[in-house]
């Protein structure tokens, strides 16, 4: 058999297997039941407009708060990890290793209940606010490592040039190193943001007031009350509406960065 | 009023060397790079440091503004011991211009911002004054029209001239050059050397680590030959380059001339 004939034959078999699997799923699945429990237009319509005006809005607000908080705390941790002061380095390393090693769900749960007990202080925003502190604490650990990598990726000559001009280390970091570091880590940071959007779904563990619910909690409640899974599908689509433009942006930024080098 | 570049030099005693290095040793781990260097540069003098790679000449230069921490010995800049922890190192550094082999311009800033940044942050100059000084120095290196360009848009030779203008914008008393033309394409070397010659003619104190023997011969007041972490031989360029006394100098020159 000729080489090209054989290759075409193998490809044909692969397509046939794929088609058979798809066909089996289509035939085996009960489409009537799938439609009535996941794609019920009446149940979907009932979720609106609250699923957008409350749930999707809250998801975006929580993500923004957690990202800004995570960036600030992450930057502080990254600078501590690169600090010449040994205890700072220990502290930052311990923090990062601890919170990257724990499930986010556990940390959110812990902070939602531990903070009010430990400090006698209830964070603004009720249970959602308390849960958000846990989310900030976790995301800061990941963001800190990303920022540290970015700082270390800035060529040493940049610091030497700034210091030889008489600039102190703080101004050098602020005006020379960090602007370049953030340019380098824009794609991984945007990735962190996308992960954070999805991780806001873990906030349910803190227990939420009706108006504080984000997409997943809202959909779960709707599922329970309507005895129908359609709200999950609507929530899934809304997540994609938020995340897809962002992942496209990441891809665009990565292409842009490559061109600039 | 235009600020005078060397306002302090008149008041300073001319007997104090610009740079004075005594018994300087520098180790990288177990590797001895500098083995007890005695070295000086007088005010207004142009000293070219030559030698094979690995001879320690760049390390010596980098010890002068303490980019490298000396292992032992003293480094005096205008009579101030810069290895003393009480010394205001950032203040001393504003008086020492440094030019790197790899230019090290700030890629995220325009040429003009490259020149004004340290003036504003380290010398606390106002924006207007810093901009004026920057434009004057850009004109001096022949790149006035590149103020708004980014470094990546310039050739290597242009980048190095911007780097020189950036160092000059701090109104330094002396300039250190660390192989300033080694990373350049041959046809771009001339423009950079021309700017350096002009500086020398104006009386700038210069320490130049270089492989450009023509420059050393033409511009240098003194040539220092280093090998294996020690100063082997030094003197007038025509003596060291034309009539070397040491075997190691002869061997090196036979390879590069």
């Amino acid at each position: 058999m000729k080489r090209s004939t054989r290759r075409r034959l193998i490809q044909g078999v692969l397509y046939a297997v794929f088609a058979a699997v798809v066909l089996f799923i289509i035939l085996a699945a009960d489409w009537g039941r799938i439609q009535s429990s996941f794609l019920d237009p009446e149940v979907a319509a009932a979720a609106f407009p609250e699923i957008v005006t409350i749930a999707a809005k809250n998801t975006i607000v929580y993500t923004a708060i957690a990202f800004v908080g995570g960036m600030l705390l992450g930057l502080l941790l990254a600078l501590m990890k690169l600090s010449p002061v040994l205890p700072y380095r220990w502290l930052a390393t311990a923090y990062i290793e601890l919170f990257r090693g724990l499930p986010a769900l556990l940390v959110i749960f812990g902070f939602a209940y531990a903070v009010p007990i430990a400090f006698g202080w209830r964070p603004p925003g009720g249970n959602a606010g308390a849960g958000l502190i846990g989310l900030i604490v976790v995301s800061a650990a990941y963001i800190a490592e990303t920022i540290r990598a970015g700082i270390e990726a800035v060529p040493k000559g940049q610091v030497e040039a700034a210091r030889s001009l008489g600039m102190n280390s703080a101004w050098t970091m602020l005006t020379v190193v960090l602007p370049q570091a953030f340019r380098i880590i824009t794609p991984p940071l945007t990735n962190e943001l996308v992960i954070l959007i999805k991780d806001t779904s873990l906030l349910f563990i803190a227990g939420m007031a009706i108006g504080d619910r984000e997409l997943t909690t809202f959909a779960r409640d709707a599922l329970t009350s309507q005895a129908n899974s359609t709200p999950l599908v609507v929530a899934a689509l809304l997540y994609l509406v938020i995340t897809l433009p962002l992942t496209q942006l990441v891809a665009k930024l990565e292409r842009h960065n490559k061109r600039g080098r | 009023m235009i600020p005078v570049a060397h306002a302090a030099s008149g008041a300073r005693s001319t007997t104090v060397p610009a740079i004075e290095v005594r018994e300087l040793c520098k180790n990288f781990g177990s590797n001895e790079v500098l083995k007890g260097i005695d070295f000086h540069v007088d005010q207004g003098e142009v000293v070219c440091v030559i030698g094979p790679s690995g001879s320690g000449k760049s390390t010596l230069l980098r010890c002068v503004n303490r980019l490298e921490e000396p292992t032992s010995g003293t480094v005096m800049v205008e009579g101030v011991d810069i290895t003393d922890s009480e010394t205001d190192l950032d203040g001393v550094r504003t008086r020492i211009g440094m030019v790197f082999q790899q230019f090290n311009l700030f890629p995220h800033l325009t040429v003009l911002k490259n020149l004004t940044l340290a003036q504003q942050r380290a010398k606390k100059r106002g924006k207007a004054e810093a901009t004026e000084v920057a434009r004057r120095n850009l004109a001096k290196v022949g790149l006035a029209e590149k103020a708004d360009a980014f470094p990546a848009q310039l050739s290597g030779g242009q980048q190095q001239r911007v780097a020189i203008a950036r160092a000059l914008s701090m109104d330094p008393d002396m300039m250190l050059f660390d192989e300033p033309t080694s990373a350049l394409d041959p046809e771009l070397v001339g423009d950079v050397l021309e700017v350096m010659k002009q500086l020398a003619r104006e009386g700038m104190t210069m320490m130049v680590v270089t492989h450009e023997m023509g420059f050393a011969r033409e511009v240098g007041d003194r040539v220092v030959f280093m090998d294996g972490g020690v100063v082997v031989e030094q003197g007038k360029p025509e003596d060291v380059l034309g009539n070397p006394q040491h075997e190691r100098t002869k061997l090196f020159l036979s390879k590069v001339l």
Side-chain angles (χ1 to χ4, degrees):
Chain A
M1 203 187 301
K2 269 168 69 182
R3 216 170 241 277
S4 56
T5 322
R6 215 177 79 188
R7 195 169 52 227
R8 236 173 290 152
L9 196 72
I10 291 172
Q11 270 178 6
V13 169
L14 288 177
Y15 279 123
V17 168
F18 176 70
V21 169
V22 171
L23 201 65
F24 173 78
I25 291 172
I26 289 172
L27 291 177
D30 184 337
W31 286 99
R33 261 170 51 200
I34 287 178
Q35 198 188 351
S36 64
S37 50
F38 287 97
L39 302 168
D40 187 325
E42 273 176 39
V43 176
F48 287 91
E50 286 83 4
I51 198 163
V52 175
T53 56
I54 293 174
K57 187 207 81 183
N58 279 340
T59 291
I60 291 171
V61 168
Y62 296 156
T63 305
I65 293 171
F67 192 62
V68 171
M71 286 274 273
L72 293 175
L73 187 55
L75 179 61
L76 181 70
L77 286 165
L79 293 176
M80 280 171 69
K81 195 159 182 189
L82 296 169
S83 157
V85 185
L86 199 57
Y88 278 4
R89 286 210 299 277
W90 284 341
L91 206 62
T93 307
Y95 178 102
I96 291 166
E97 293 305 324
L98 176 66
F99 287 110
R100 284 199 311 178
L102 294 176
L105 196 63
L106 190 88
V107 177
I108 292 167
F109 185 78
F111 270 83
Y113 291 94
V115 166
I117 291 171
F119 300 101
W121 171 75
R122 292 200 63 81
N127 286 354
L132 266 176
I133 291 179
L135 197 56
I136 288 171
V137 162
V138 173
S139 69
Y142 289 92
I143 291 174
E145 280 297 85
T146 306
I147 294 177
R148 181 190 59 79
I151 290 173
E152 287 182 338
V154 175
K156 218 168 162 278
Q158 291 291 310
V159 175
E160 291 185 346
R163 299 306 305 271
S164 75
L165 287 163
M167 278 167 50
N168 63 27
S169 56
W171 277 119
T172 300
M173 182 56 77
L174 208 62
T175 61
V176 174
V177 177
L178 285 182
Q180 295 185 61
F182 274 101
R183 216 163 277 204
I184 294 168
I185 61 174
T186 303
L189 268 188
T190 320
N191 255 332
E192 296 288 348
L193 180 61
V194 172
I195 291 170
L196 213 45
I197 292 169
K198 295 177 289 180
D199 279 359
T200 54
S201 65
L202 302 174
L203 288 172
F204 79 88
I205 196 78
M208 295 236 199
I210 301 279
D212 291 342
R213 291 175 301 177
E214 41 64 59
L215 270 174
T216 301
T217 313
F218 186 96
R220 278 161 42 105
D221 287 355
L223 177 146
T224 314
S225 64
Q226 310 249 19
N228 188 290
S229 301
T230 306
L232 287 184
V233 178
V234 177
L237 290 174
L238 286 173
Y239 273 115
L240 289 178
V241 167
I242 301 170
T243 55
L244 278 184
L246 270 171
T247 50
Q248 289 302 307
L249 186 70
V250 177
K252 204 175 156 188
L253 284 170
E254 274 170 357
R255 280 198 299 276
H256 181 80
N257 262 15
K258 262 189 204 120
R259 219 179 32 233
R261 295 271 159 83
Chain B
M1 198 184 81
I2 295 169
V4 180
H6 299 282
S9 57
R12 215 168 39 223
S13 162
T14 49
T15 56
V16 180
I19 302 165
E20 187 172 17
V21 170
R22 276 191 236 122
E23 291 169 37
L24 179 66
C25 293
K26 173 65 184 175
N27 302 345
F28 290 107
S30 61
N31 184 17
E32 289 180 64
V33 179
L34 298 177
K35 302 169 183 169
I37 299 275
D38 290 305
F39 173 86
H40 73 280
V41 179
D42 287 328
Q43 288 178 26
E45 196 181 21
V46 177
V47 175
C48 293
V49 183
I50 62 170
S53 56
S55 59
K57 53 193 192 304
S58 282
T59 306
L60 171 62
L61 179 131
R62 289 163 59 85
C63 281
V64 170
N65 68 353
R66 230 174 101 187
L67 280 186
E68 298 292 352
E69 204 68 49
T71 306
S72 66
T74 54
V75 177
M76 315 277 278
V77 172
E78 295 172 335
V80 177
D81 183 356
I82 65 153
T83 55
D84 186 344
S85 58
E86 293 297 305
T87 301
D88 170 21
L89 188 58
D90 291 333
V92 174
R93 278 170 171 165
T94 61
R95 287 183 271 135
I96 312 174
M98 178 147 181
V99 175
F100 298 84
Q101 184 178 351
Q102 299 295 340
F103 330 134
N104 293 348
L105 293 179
F106 307 132
H108 60 299
L109 301 177
T110 63
V111 165
L112 190 68
K113 285 287 287 177
N114 262 276
L115 269 63
T116 56
L117 180 66
Q119 290 190 65
Q120 291 179 259
R121 299 302 173 213
K123 283 206 117 169
K124 308 292 177 207
R125 282 180 179 157
K127 194 178 176 191
E129 186 191 358
T131 305
E132 188 204 316
V133 172
R135 291 198 185 277
R136 193 169 69 234
N137 282 301
L138 270 183
K140 187 171 183 169
V141 300
L143 292 171
E145 78 286 0
K146 297 291 186 188
D148 298 321
F150 280 89
Q153 296 167 312
L154 305 180
S155 74
Q158 289 172 332
Q159 288 191 47
Q160 193 61 299
R161 280 146 66 200
V162 170
I164 294 173
R166 178 174 69 177
L168 289 175
S169 293
M170 302 300 286
D171 293 329
D173 296 338
M174 67 197 76
M175 291 280 286
L176 310 178
F177 291 87
D178 188 4
E179 303 196 27
T181 57
S182 296
L184 298 177
D185 291 333
E187 74 272 19
L188 301 175
V189 169
D191 288 341
V192 172
L193 290 182
E194 202 46 57
V195 169
M196 291 168 65
K197 283 176 194 169
Q198 189 196 334
L199 272 182
R201 278 197 297 273
E202 290 169 5
M204 175 62 80
T205 306
M206 292 164 67
M207 175 180 177
V208 186
V209 170
T210 188
H211 294 292
E212 296 288 336
M213 296 304 152
F215 177 84
R217 190 188 296 268
E218 186 187 334
V219 183
D221 295 312
R222 188 150 49 90
V223 168
V224 174
F225 173 71
M226 284 180 68
D227 193 12
V230 297
V231 173
V232 175
E233 171 164 11
Q234 59 177 310
K236 288 204 165 83
E238 56 268 32
D239 294 338
V240 176
L241 299 174
N243 183 23
Q245 300 300 306
H246 288 260
E247 279 309 315
R248 282 197 278 178
T249 319
K250 286 177 192 171
L251 184 68
F252 172 71
L253 290 174
S254 71
K255 285 177 186 161
V256 297
L257 285 182

